[in-house]
Amino acid sequence: MILALDELGRKLTMNDNLLIFYAGHGHWDDKSKLGYWLPSDAEMYNTVKWFRNSTLRDFIGSIQTRHTFLIADACFSGAIFKNKGRIHSTLPGY
C-alpha cells in the first residue's frame, strides 16, 4: 500500500481526483489507541504488514489532488479520523 501511495503522490496533480477504496479487515489496539488496516498478508502477532490509520491519513494529506475520496469498509475504519477521543466523520452516528 505504501508503494502505491508513494507512486500516486508522485504522479497526481491538482487537476486529478483520487478514489481510495478498501474493503477488508481492520484492528483497533486499545492499549496504543491506534487503528490499522490488515492487508491479506498481515499476520496476527506480527505488525510489520499492518497499515496504520495515521499513516493513511498522512499520505492522504500529502497527495495533492483536486478531490480525494476515501471509502473504507473495515472494522475501526472510523478511527482514521479520530482526534482527541472523538471521531470526526460525516457518517450518521459518528
Side-chain angles (χ1 to χ4, degrees):
M1 282 192 269
I2 290 175
L3 293 173
L5 290 168
D6 274 340
E7 185 176 351
L8 289 170
R10 285 190 304 275
K11 290 182 175 182
L12 297 178
T13 70
M14 288 301 292
N15 295 320
D16 295 311
N17 296 308
L18 173 61
L19 168 66
I20 299 171
F21 177 79
Y22 177 78
H25 294 285
H27 174 75
W28 176 256
D29 184 337
D30 213 21
K31 183 177 178 182
S32 65
K33 304 294 187 219
L34 295 171
Y36 298 89
W37 283 358
L38 302 178
S40 61
D41 61 348
E43 298 174 13
M44 183 175 234
Y45 298 106
N46 182 350
T47 62
V48 72
K49 294 182 181 176
W50 296 17
F51 191 68
R52 281 187 183 190
N53 290 346
S54 58
T55 301
L56 175 64
R57 193 175 54 243
D58 291 343
F59 269 107
I60 289 173
S62 68
I63 296 174
Q64 300 297 308
T65 58
R66 179 177 305 262
H67 300 286
T68 298
F69 188 57
L70 172 65
I71 301 171
D73 180 18
C75 294
F76 309 105
S77 288
I80 292 169
F81 302 106
K82 192 167 188 169
N83 187 4
K84 296 182 182 178
R86 298 193 51 144
I87 295 176
H88 299 279
S89 174
T90 58
L91 298 176
Y94 285 97

